[in-house]
Amino acid sequence: MRYAIISDIHANLEALERSLGAIDEVGVDEILCLGDIVGYGANPNECVDLVRKRGVTSIIGNHDCVACGKSEPNDFNPMARSAILWTRSTLSRDNKDYLLDLPDKREIEDLLIVHGAISDPDKYIFSEGDTLREFELMQNRNICFFGHTHVRVFYVLTNDEIRGFYDDGLRINKDGKYLINPGSVGQPRDRDHRVSFLIYDDERETVEYTRLEYDIASAQKKIIEAGLDRRLAYRLSLGI
Ligand code: ZN
């Protein structure tokens, strides 16, 4: 099986369309999304519609939770809060119901997919230290994909040693355990503005990252026209 793993679309339709177009060129068996389909960007309905239409297998992210009314934005900063409340008022009832029904983690074959972490969907994995508990919780599984930080990275546990890597890809070794973040489609925060996702091939046992330019100017224009905080538009060009 060949999988495309995408995450943190954040209502950025231009970035999502660009990613799906490139994924179609490669050809995959299944597309998995690690949550945060909406929030920050100007096209929440269009992005949820497209994810549904394309049969993407998704889980719920913290922004999706607030957008559909499953939780409140108590721990959101003011910019994120105002954007998510706008998103909540903009999303159709049908799209809210779709988000409400998404699980917060899934097992697909021998893969685990989570939004933030296995121990807590809202936890950020930023360093090797943050992965200790998560590797324990993986038990006998050897690959877990996570998102939430919007930073492309993977952590490898071999021989009781954990190391983080920012390489363009990796080869899966059956003796290792892997926590892998595909980066963000719609709001990358690793100082690279290009969309980020990955292709995982379980027969070749490879993970290959992709970064692509997309029509940022259109996404930014829509954010400003929607009356959302302008900083949400500017940050897209900076990759922060
Ligand atoms: Zn996110």
Side-chain angles (χ1 to χ4, degrees):
M1 287 277 284
R2 204 193 293 197
Y3 300 90
I5 317 285
I6 62 176
S7 189
D8 296 280
I9 298 162
H10 283 293
N12 185 335
L13 183 63
E14 286 73 18
L16 178 59
E17 286 177 334
R18 180 74 178 99
S19 302
L20 293 174
I23 288 165
D24 288 344
E25 279 174 31
V26 176
V28 300
D29 300 296
E30 192 167 0
I31 304 174
L32 309 180
C33 172
L34 312 182
D36 279 1
I37 302 168
V38 303
Y40 297 129
N43 288 121
N45 279 308
E46 293 80 357
C47 287
V48 176
D49 287 344
L50 189 51
V51 162
R52 296 174 71 177
K53 186 174 134 215
R54 291 296 308 264
V56 173
T57 302
S58 191
I59 54 175
I60 195 164
N62 55 318
H63 285 254
D64 304 322
C65 274
V66 178
C68 70
K70 196 174 184 177
S71 65
E72 293 304 318
N74 300 325
D75 55 352
F76 280 41
N77 66 48
M79 184 168 61
R81 184 183 301 120
S82 63
I84 206 63
L85 294 177
W86 175 88
T87 303
R88 189 188 270 180
S89 69
T90 304
L91 268 182
S92 67
R93 184 69 255 169
D94 191 44
N95 280 335
K96 282 183 186 166
D97 288 342
Y98 166 80
L99 295 176
L100 263 173
D101 281 344
L102 293 176
D104 66 3
K105 59 167 85 90
R106 284 185 195 260
E107 282 188 67
I108 292 132
E109 303 292 325
D110 50 356
L111 304 175
L112 190 57
I113 64 171
V114 299
H115 183 60
I118 305 167
S119 59
D120 176 355
D122 287 348
K123 173 180 165 180
Y124 290 94
I125 297 178
F126 275 126
S127 68
E128 284 82 354
D130 296 333
T131 66
L132 285 169
R133 177 85 186 114
E134 311 308 320
F135 278 121
E136 277 174 20
L137 291 171
M138 282 169 70
Q139 296 174 341
N140 55 356
R141 297 184 206 86
N142 77 327
I143 302 177
C144 173
F145 292 103
F146 71 98
H148 195 36
T149 60
H150 302 204
V151 173
R152 187 187 99 162
V153 63
F154 60 92
Y155 297 96
V156 186
L157 168 64
T158 40
N159 304 324
D160 288 333
E161 190 194 5
I162 297 170
R163 283 185 66 191
F165 297 89
Y166 299 88
D167 300 354
D168 293 335
L170 65 143
R171 185 169 282 277
I172 302 293
N173 177 334
K174 285 280 179 263
D175 299 330
K177 279 181 187 276
Y178 300 84
L179 276 160
I180 305 171
N181 191 322
S184 168
V185 166
Q187 195 197 75
R189 292 182 193 160
D190 42 11
R191 299 197 174 270
D192 182 338
H193 60 271
R194 297 174 298 166
V195 302
S196 180
F197 63 89
L198 65 81
I199 306 290
Y200 167 58
D201 187 320
D202 69 358
E203 281 157 32
R204 292 170 57 217
E205 299 184 323
T206 53
V207 171
E208 287 173 23
Y209 284 103
T210 300
R211 301 246 25 176
L212 297 165
E213 298 287 350
Y214 72 100
D215 186 357
I216 288 193
S218 293
Q220 290 174 315
K221 188 161 170 269
K222 287 193 221 166
I223 287 171
I224 291 164
E225 283 172 359
L228 290 159
D229 193 315
R230 286 173 170 262
R231 287 173 293 175
L232 294 171
Y234 301 148
R235 69 188 298 176
L236 294 180
S237 333
L238 300 170
I240 58 171

